[in-house]
């Protein structure tokens, strides 16, 4: 393990943290960056496990709200409804993700051109959605009806195609189903907890015999970088979206996907 490898892990961790909760596909970004940097991880485990840093960022920023839900769960119908909604939204990804895990990791994660194309298509969708005049029906992310949560959960499964974006699919799905911009983004944050924790645990279990001490150190470096960057993003994203909408992220996706396709054509 060289200093260069650790530095690459640090850069990829920062990239994960900065992009995880933006609708731009963190997985797509770090897979493309890793491809062009020549960064290799055992079974693409690094790219999944460093997401734990982003998970802890959500817990840190929303700790008081989560603690309130926990202590009021036995007595508050609102808290129970919130937890039930998150569980319902998580189930589609849990089932489909487990069934399609090997195909996703061995085929989709290894296809940079597909990632670039999905980045571009997702960017076009974001720009289009931002032009729609949708009157929000649901403005409280902690009070989404169970059926709305389930629909968003199925839409989240689109993000199993790298480059699509977990946050992007859930936010766009929420907006099209009547959620406000802030509520859609917050629900995406909350849904990230079980979804990303589940992906982390499942990937760790699947690759538990293949990871070495060096892999652990590299993952830890990426994890710390992802945590720091994700905290900054989560604290500022809602204010940015309220002011500017999602169009800037759409153009960002199109630019990254376009540059990626050109780079692949030139250097492979």
């Amino acid at each position: 393990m060289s200093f260069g490898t650790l530095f690459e892990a640090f850069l990829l961790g920062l990239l994960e943290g900065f992009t995880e909760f933006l609708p731009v596909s963190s997985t797509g970004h770090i897979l493309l960056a890793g491809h062009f940097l020549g960064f290799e991880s055992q079974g693409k485990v690094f790219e999944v496990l460093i997401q734990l840093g982003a998970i802890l960022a959500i817990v840190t920023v929303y700790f008081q709200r989560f603690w309130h839900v926990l202590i009021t769960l036995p007595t508050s119908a609102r808290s129970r409804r919130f937890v039930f909604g998150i569980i319902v939204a998580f189930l589609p990804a849990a089932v489909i993700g487990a069934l399609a895990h090997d195909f996703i990791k061995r085929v989709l994660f290894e296809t940079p051109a597909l990632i670039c194309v999905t980045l571009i298509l997702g960017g076009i969708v974001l720009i289009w959605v931002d032009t729609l005049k949708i009157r929000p029906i649901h403005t409280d992310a902690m009070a989404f009806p169970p059926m709305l949560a389930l629909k968003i959960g199925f839409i989240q499964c689109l993000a199993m195609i790298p480059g699509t974006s977990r946050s992007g699919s859930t936010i766009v799905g929420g907006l099209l189903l009547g959620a406000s911009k802030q509520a859609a983004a917050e629900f995406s944050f909350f849904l990230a907890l079980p979804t990303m924790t589940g992906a982390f645990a499942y990937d760790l279990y699947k690759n538990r015999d293949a990871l070495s001490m060096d892999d652990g150190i590299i993952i830890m470096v990426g994890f710390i970088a992802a945590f720091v960057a994700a905290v900054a993003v989560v604290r500022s994203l809602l204010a940015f979206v309220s002011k500017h909408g999602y169009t800037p992220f759409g153009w960002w996706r199109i630019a990254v996907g376009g540059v990626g396709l050109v780079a692949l054509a030139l250097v492979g």
Side-chain angles (χ1 to χ4, degrees):
M1 178 178 56
S2 65
F3 174 79
T5 300
L6 289 176
F7 185 65
E8 289 172 354
F10 175 75
L11 291 179
L12 292 174
L14 285 179
L15 187 59
E16 157 65 26
F18 279 125
T19 57
E20 178 58 51
F21 299 109
L22 303 180
V24 298
S25 179
S26 61
T27 302
H29 277 69
I30 61 175
L31 286 175
L32 284 178
H35 174 81
F36 291 115
L37 287 172
F39 181 87
E40 293 289 340
S41 69
Q42 176 67 35
K44 297 297 183 184
V45 175
F46 172 87
E47 289 81 352
V48 175
L49 297 192
I50 63 171
Q51 293 179 345
L52 181 61
I55 297 169
L56 292 182
I58 286 290
V59 174
T60 300
V61 174
Y62 284 95
F63 178 78
Q64 288 186 333
R65 193 179 301 190
F66 290 142
W67 179 251
H68 175 76
V69 168
L70 181 63
I71 63 175
T72 61
L73 200 57
T75 59
S76 171
R78 173 180 167 83
S79 293
R80 289 194 296 271
R81 180 177 183 175
F82 168 67
V83 172
F84 181 70
I86 293 298
I87 293 172
V88 165
F90 164 65
L91 287 177
V95 175
I96 297 173
L99 292 175
H101 177 271
D102 291 345
F103 175 75
I104 294 168
K105 296 294 290 293
R106 294 175 184 174
V107 178
L108 299 183
F109 271 41
E110 300 290 347
T111 314
L114 171 65
I115 297 171
C116 293
V117 170
T118 53
L119 280 170
I120 293 171
L121 293 177
I124 294 171
V125 170
L126 274 180
I127 294 171
W128 169 69
V129 169
D130 228 13
T131 65
L132 300 178
K133 304 301 181 182
I134 303 173
R135 178 173 294 180
I137 302 170
H138 309 285
T139 58
D140 183 355
M142 297 186 68
F144 279 9
M147 188 53 66
L148 173 61
L150 180 62
K151 291 176 181 177
I152 293 175
F154 275 109
I155 293 170
Q156 178 180 234
C157 294
L158 294 172
M160 294 176 190
I161 304 171
T164 303
S165 172
R166 188 205 61 79
S167 58
S169 60
T170 53
I171 288 172
V172 167
L175 291 174
L176 293 177
L177 292 170
S180 67
K181 290 179 179 179
Q182 180 166 334
E186 279 202 325
F187 191 80
S188 178
F189 291 165
F190 301 148
L191 182 54
L193 285 178
T195 302
M196 294 163 62
T197 301
F200 172 90
Y202 190 72
D203 234 69
L204 185 61
Y205 171 76
K206 293 278 287 187
N207 294 278
R208 63 193 184 282
D209 296 327
L211 294 176
S212 65
M213 181 63 71
D214 284 353
D215 292 324
I217 295 172
I218 292 170
I219 290 168
M220 182 58 66
V221 169
F223 158 82
I224 294 172
F227 171 77
V228 173
V231 167
V233 169
V234 171
R235 285 178 172 168
S236 59
L237 178 61
L238 296 181
F240 181 89
V241 167
S242 296
K243 184 176 182 180
H244 301 286
Y246 292 104
T247 295
F249 301 117
W251 288 116
W252 176 352
R253 291 176 62 108
I254 292 170
V256 172
V259 170
L261 286 175
V262 171
L264 286 172
L266 294 176
V267 300

